[in-house]
């Protein structure tokens, strides 16, 4: 079946401005045409959908989530005390909330006991309606390191190699390395690297040999330097923590740009929500780092770093259906151009998760993953919360903010208001 969307505003996911009066033509699961209405091919027999008052763009990609976690203010404790069945059910709920918020692809970076892979496979088989999932499985960490309780603990190069190979044997799509400590495990020290240069090198080398991309969690300056030197595919978080503050390193950033590495911001809501005072207390985020972190993002952007907009969903107070709040913060709070932010959740995000050949942009032959928003989020970023319809591989999976169950009536999950709460 062919579909023809008449779009008030059409954004193709590349780093080019959206166009007015656009047309998107879908043939089956794939995009056939995306561009000005005046140049659209004949589409006799296509089902026409009028989105003239809406923005039509690629389905969003959140490249850093923890789909088994609720994202409540006690999210970590909840997962540690959950049964596998409870964790998997939370994953199903999160998958559908993500889809209803315009996200058609998720990269899960650090699950528990490979349960995200079970969810991934069930979604692919049509058992559960949800976004496509790219999964790293359990993270590689050090003994007593960041998220040790759900990760693979390693301390030597041989143990790190074995961990990479074990993950690949169990069917992961990519590898997640906890390169530094982090806030989720207080004694792990976010400023300190968990491995020396050789540890980073063997993970990068063995993953590359096995055809897997590596996402590396890095907070501290030392761990960022190791990740850049070894050519890790994506640097997660990357705030340049050192000596109790943030110390931006221009030389390292120049290397990131020169090597074409991607920085995935992975910013939990502790950095930007209106309830920031409460959230800081819950996570003990040093308040003096907030503006320094924003300035670091601005400087990386100005230097030409590829910045992927990702949420770190599952962290304390960070829900999976609030990516729009991060978009709004980066545009209105940090001052990044809206075009670059939306590129960071579409075309560039697809590159970061290894799916640039199939999703992320509306180009002929690619899968027709589409999100439709009421309003114009390029002028008013808050409009990114107003999801009307979502299509995954050409099939409508969300209509008027409600999940569409195949061969069934639409079943409402929920539709959020601008304060992020259920209506």
């Amino acid at each position: 079946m062919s579909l023809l969307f008449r779009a008030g505003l059409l954004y193709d996911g590349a780093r080019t401005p959206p166009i007015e009066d656009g047309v998107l033509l879908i043939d089956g699961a794939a995009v056939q045409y995306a561009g000005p209405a005046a140049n659209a091919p004949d589409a006799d027999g296509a089902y026409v959908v009028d989105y003239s008052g809406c923005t039509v763009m690629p389905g969003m990609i959140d490249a850093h989530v923890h789909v088994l976690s609720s994202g409540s203010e006690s999210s970590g404790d909840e997962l540690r005390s959950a049964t596998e069945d409870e964790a998997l059910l939370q994953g199903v709920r999160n998958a559908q909330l993500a889809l209803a918020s315009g996200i058609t692809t998720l990269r899960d970076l650090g699950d528990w006991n490979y349960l995200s892979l079970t969810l991934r496979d069930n979604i692919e088989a049509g058992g559960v309606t949800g976004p496509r999932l790219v999964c790293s499985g359990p993270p590689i960490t050090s003994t007593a390191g960041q998220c040790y309780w759900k990760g693979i603990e390693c301390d030597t190069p041989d143990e790190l190699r074995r961990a990479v190979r074990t993950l690949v044997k169990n069917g992961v799509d990519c590898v997640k390395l906890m390169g530094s400590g982090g806030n989720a495990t207080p004694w792990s020290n976010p400023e300190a690297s968990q491995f020396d240069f050789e540890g980073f090198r063997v993970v990068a080398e063995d993953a590359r040999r096995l055809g897997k991309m590596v996402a590396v969690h890095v907070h501290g300056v030392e761990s960022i330097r190791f990740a850049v030197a070894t050519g890790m595919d994506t640097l997660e978080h990357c705030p340049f923590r050192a000596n109790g503050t943030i110390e931006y390193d221009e030389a390292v950033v120049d290397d990131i740009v020169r090597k074409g590495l991607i920085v995935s911001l992975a910013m939990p809501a502790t950095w930007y929500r209106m309830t920031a005072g409460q959230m800081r207390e819950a996570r003990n985020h040093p308040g003096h780092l907030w503006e320094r972190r924003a300035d670091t993002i601005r400087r990386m952007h100005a230097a030409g770093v590829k910045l992927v907009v990702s949420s770190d969903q599952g962290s304390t107070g960070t829900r999976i259906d609030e990516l729009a709040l991060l978009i709004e913060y980066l545009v209105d709070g940090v001052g990044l151009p809206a075009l670059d932010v939306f590129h960071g959740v579409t075309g560039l995000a697809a590159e970061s998760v290894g799916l640039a050949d199939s999703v992320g942009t509306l180009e002929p032959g690619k899968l027709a993953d589409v999100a439709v928003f009421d309003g114009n989020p390029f002028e008013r970023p808050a409009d990114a919360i107003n999801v009307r319809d979502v299509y995954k591989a050409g099939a409508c999976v969300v209509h008027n903010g409600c999940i569409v169950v195949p061969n069934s009536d639409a079943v409402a999950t929920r539709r959020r208001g601008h304060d992020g709460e259920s209506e």
Side-chain angles (χ1 to χ4, degrees):
M1 177 182 179
S2 295
L3 298 172
L4 188 149
F5 297 165
R6 301 191 183 280
L9 196 70
L10 178 67
Y11 173 57
D12 65 5
R15 205 173 177 181
T16 52
I19 62 170
E20 296 182 352
D21 191 22
V23 162
L24 174 63
L25 182 60
I26 299 170
D27 184 13
V31 173
Q32 182 176 346
Y33 172 82
N39 299 334
D42 291 334
D44 293 340
Y47 184 82
V48 178
V49 185
D50 184 8
Y51 289 129
S52 56
C54 302
T55 296
V56 175
M57 60 179 275
M60 295 191 293
I61 299 168
D62 194 337
H64 189 127
V65 303
H66 304 282
V67 74
L68 305 178
S69 300
S70 69
S72 73
E73 293 194 19
S74 56
S75 183
D77 291 338
E78 289 174 0
L79 184 57
R80 279 189 287 270
S81 64
T83 65
E84 289 192 1
D85 288 344
E86 290 168 339
L88 194 53
L89 287 171
Q90 180 64 59
V92 172
R93 181 176 186 271
N94 280 338
Q96 297 196 342
L97 289 174
L99 203 60
S101 66
I103 299 169
T104 51
T105 300
L106 297 168
R107 181 173 64 163
D108 187 276
L109 289 181
D111 77 353
W112 172 46
N113 205 20
Y114 299 97
L115 292 175
S116 68
L117 279 68
T118 300
L119 179 60
R120 176 198 67 186
D121 295 346
N122 194 271
I123 290 172
E124 288 181 0
V128 172
T129 302
R132 64 180 48 79
L133 274 168
V134 176
C135 301
S136 72
I140 300 174
T141 190
S142 60
T143 298
Q146 166 75 340
C147 295
Y148 73 91
W149 58 273
K150 65 177 181 179
I152 302 174
E153 293 177 287
C154 302
D155 297 308
T156 68
D158 281 346
E159 289 173 349
L160 288 164
R161 288 190 185 94
R162 180 177 291 277
V164 171
R165 297 169 190 183
T166 298
L167 289 166
V168 173
K169 182 177 73 172
N170 280 281
V172 303
D173 302 300
C174 59
V175 172
K176 170 70 175 296
L177 175 68
M178 293 296 189
S180 74
N183 298 304
T185 311
W187 55 82
S188 65
N189 190 358
E191 294 185 3
S193 180
Q194 295 197 151
F195 306 99
D196 59 15
F197 174 83
E198 180 65 7
F200 279 73
R201 188 190 67 79
V202 299
V203 170
E205 181 182 81
D206 227 37
R208 209 169 285 132
R209 178 181 67 84
L210 295 168
K212 302 299 180 183
M213 298 175 73
V214 181
V216 57
H217 162 110
V218 282
H219 281 303
V221 174
E222 181 184 46
S223 61
I224 296 170
R225 288 175 182 152
F226 289 159
V228 174
T230 54
M232 296 292 187
D233 297 286
T234 64
L235 282 60
E236 308 296 318
H237 311 293
C238 209
F240 291 92
R241 294 277 298 272
N243 301 313
T245 185
I246 285 176
E247 297 182 356
Y248 184 81
D249 190 319
E250 289 187 11
V252 171
V253 172
D254 287 345
D255 282 345
I256 291 172
V257 175
R258 180 175 56 83
K259 292 186 174 185
L261 306 181
I262 291 174
V263 170
S264 175
L265 291 174
M267 289 188 74
T270 46
W271 291 101
Y272 56 84
R273 271 190 91 167
M274 294 296 290
T275 55
Q278 297 172 344
M279 297 307 301
R280 185 170 66 237
E281 183 177 353
R283 275 286 293 273
N284 198 28
H285 255 320
H288 70 280
L289 297 183
W290 291 9
E291 183 50 41
R292 286 180 179 269
R293 178 83 188 273
D295 185 60
T296 293
I297 294 169
R298 284 189 286 266
R299 294 177 71 178
M300 285 195 291
H301 176 267
V305 174
K306 297 178 178 181
L307 294 178
V308 164
V309 176
S310 54
S311 71
D312 200 13
Q313 172 273 329
S315 294
T316 304
T318 307
R319 296 192 332 218
I320 204 164
D321 55 351
E322 293 184 340
L323 186 59
L325 298 183
L326 176 56
I327 290 170
E328 184 179 5
Y329 166 73
L330 291 172
V331 177
D332 292 343
V334 177
L336 299 188
L339 181 61
D340 291 345
V341 171
F342 280 101
H343 181 53
V345 290
T346 54
L348 182 58
E351 179 184 341
S352 76
V353 303
L355 295 178
D357 290 342
S358 57
V359 299
T361 55
L362 300 177
E363 298 179 74
K366 287 193 176 182
L367 291 174
D369 284 7
V370 184
V372 182
F373 301 90
D374 288 319
N376 183 348
F378 289 86
E379 290 186 356
R380 297 174 300 277
D383 284 353
I385 206 168
N386 298 328
V387 178
R388 177 181 288 193
D389 294 344
V390 179
Y391 297 78
K392 181 183 172 190
C396 184
V397 289
V398 174
H399 180 57
N400 289 332
C402 300
I403 294 291
V404 176
V405 178
N407 302 317
S408 179
D409 296 328
V411 177
T413 52
R414 68 174 180 172
R415 194 169 187 189
R416 297 175 293 124
H418 284 287
D419 61 356
E421 299 298 328
S422 300
E423 292 183 338

